[in-house]
Amino acid sequence: MPANIPATTTVKPTAQSTTKSTTKSAAKSAAKSVANPPKVTIEVVAKRAGVSKGLVSFALNNRPGVAPETRVRILQVAKELGWKPSLRARSLSTQRSYALGLVIARNPDVLASDPFFPSFIAGVESILAPEGRALVLSVVPDEETELKTYRSLVADGRVDGVFLSDLRHGDPRIPLLAELGLPAVTLGRPDGPSPFPAVTVDDTPGVMASVAHLATLGHRRIAHVAGSSTLLHGSRRRAAFAAALREAGLPEGQTVETDFSVGAGSDATRRLLIQDTPPTAIVYANDPMAIAGLGMAHELGVRVPDDLSITGYDDIDFCRYVYPPLTTVSAAPMAWGRAAASTLLALMENGSADDVDLPAARLVVRGSTAPPHG
């Protein structure tokens, strides 16, 4: 080691290196601050507005006891600061979950192939999201599990209300929910007493219009691929089909009951078309089954609409993109979801809500129907 170099040397940073280090550190801190801005709390809002935290809490939760001009000032300050409510804090202070429930008792495979519920849920979310509420979805295999799920949701305080879909004859869920004290909205009118408001779309006119349309085209052998008769809308559409045939002066048509699934729709179509005297038109209880029937007809060499006319129900988005485009009945599931959510929120807020009758389902004529060949 050279003699003029000490064994231990301390090198002091130059002013330039110190400046660079400080600048770099400040830049990192600024970037971190932008990425993770400080949370605006009630305390921050109270300090800026010059009032107590309790008064801010009352104003932000729309409780009485705050002078109108003070409430306006607090809300304006909260908006300027970008304050957002803590769902957890709101739940603790109000003993509410700020969530609504939808329990569906169907085979997951059947549910996955039916776009009705995604569209309905989209309508529900369009109302709940701006209100700072969430939707809790449970898919269960059977009615017994469904009833247990409702009890569990109430016991755990997970939801403030529920949507009741797929109404059944003598539906046991209605007295259960009344006993549990859980607010609910039924999708359709039950066939027995109910303390809950109903949001309905009358499906009878749509089904009857489908049959009348086919009869006007000249069809005389019209069949129906129906849904489950345990569900009110399944049996109601089946009754509407039979009534429409009578009104048109046509003989009773064949009906094949299914579980609303794509596979069952395909199988039912095959059974109908391989007969010695097959129908010239089929009315399906939902669009997925109708589209599956369209595929089965192609597989069997049956031309649609030349040899067979078909109609669906629901008017899901891709009906217009299959070939030929599907004649179907529009039930506007998104609008149904929006109306159901608004009604349930009103029920929870006011303790009561009126029934809502949405526009009746209507026939949308496309390319899958035509006069019978020959």
Side-chain angles (χ1 to χ4, degrees):
M1 178 179 294
N4 61 341
I5 302 294
T8 302
T9 304
T10 301
V11 180
K12 293 183 178 180
T14 64
Q16 184 178 7
S17 65
T18 301
T19 301
K20 287 182 177 179
S21 176
T22 302
T23 302
K24 187 175 182 180
S25 176
K28 286 184 177 180
S29 296
K32 185 177 181 181
S33 177
V34 171
N36 301 289
K39 185 177 180 180
V40 179
T41 64
I42 285 181
E43 186 175 4
V44 173
V45 176
K47 186 175 181 181
R48 174 72 68 87
V51 297
S52 69
K53 290 191 294 182
L55 204 59
V56 171
S57 177
F58 272 48
L60 295 177
N61 287 289
N62 198 29
R63 294 180 180 176
V66 185
E69 62 273 13
T70 304
R71 186 187 302 275
V72 169
R73 186 170 79 254
I74 291 172
L75 295 177
Q76 182 61 36
V77 169
K79 182 178 180 181
E80 291 172 356
L81 292 174
W83 176 85
K84 293 182 179 179
S86 165
L87 185 57
R88 179 177 295 180
R90 289 173 70 195
S91 297
L92 289 173
S93 65
T94 63
Q95 297 298 305
R96 292 183 180 182
S97 67
Y98 290 92
L100 304 181
L102 175 61
V103 184
I104 304 173
R106 288 203 190 187
N107 184 314
D109 294 334
V110 175
L111 193 62
S113 65
D114 188 350
F116 171 84
F117 279 105
S119 296
F120 174 82
I121 289 170
V124 169
E125 289 285 11
S126 71
I127 299 298
L128 298 191
E131 295 284 333
R133 297 176 185 267
L135 179 68
V136 176
L137 174 64
S138 296
V139 179
V140 297
D142 52 49
E143 182 179 300
E144 181 181 356
T145 308
E146 184 180 15
L147 298 178
K148 289 180 180 178
T149 300
Y150 285 118
R151 292 190 180 96
S152 175
L153 289 173
V154 172
D156 296 339
R158 294 178 59 196
V159 298
D160 301 320
V162 292
F163 302 99
L164 209 56
S165 67
D166 286 344
L167 295 181
R168 302 162 198 144
H169 296 280
D171 204 312
R173 296 172 297 174
I174 292 174
L176 172 65
L177 294 177
E179 176 189 332
L180 294 173
L182 187 62
V185 164
T186 61
L187 306 184
R189 281 192 174 81
D191 61 354
S194 170
F196 305 120
V199 179
T200 65
V201 174
D202 188 357
D203 43 14
T204 296
V207 175
M208 295 192 72
S210 296
V211 175
H213 168 64
L214 294 169
T216 299
L217 290 174
H219 292 277
R220 295 294 177 266
R221 297 193 308 275
I222 305 174
H224 181 40
V225 175
S228 171
S229 59
T230 63
L231 302 179
L232 287 184
H233 65 279
S235 58
R236 189 169 53 245
R237 292 174 196 178
R238 185 170 182 167
F241 171 76
L245 288 178
R246 290 193 298 271
E247 190 172 294
L250 298 178
E252 182 177 343
Q254 285 183 283
T255 297
V256 181
E257 183 171 328
T258 72
D259 60 0
F260 281 110
S261 71
V262 170
S266 178
D267 291 343
T269 305
R270 174 184 285 277
R271 289 167 54 190
L272 289 169
L273 294 183
I274 62 175
Q275 300 176 104
D276 291 337
T277 308
T280 62
I282 304 176
V283 174
Y284 292 83
N286 70 10
D287 288 337
M289 291 199 298
I291 292 171
L294 176 63
M296 176 54 66
H298 288 323
E299 183 179 323
L300 296 174
V302 176
R303 299 170 300 167
V304 177
D306 296 342
D307 304 321
L308 175 70
S309 286
I310 63 175
T311 69
Y313 191 100
D314 283 332
D315 196 21
I316 57 180
D317 282 344
F318 53 80
C319 284
R320 68 197 69 183
Y321 302 114
V322 297
Y323 184 80
L326 185 66
T327 293
T328 186
V329 175
S330 176
M334 279 193 67
W336 206 351
R338 288 192 294 268
S342 297
T343 302
L344 186 50
L345 292 178
L347 174 63
M348 293 188 302
E349 180 69 22
N350 305 318
S352 64
D354 294 331
D355 290 349
V356 177
D357 292 311
L358 296 173
R362 61 183 181 83
L363 182 66
V364 180
V365 177
R366 297 194 181 103
S368 64
T369 50
H373 182 68

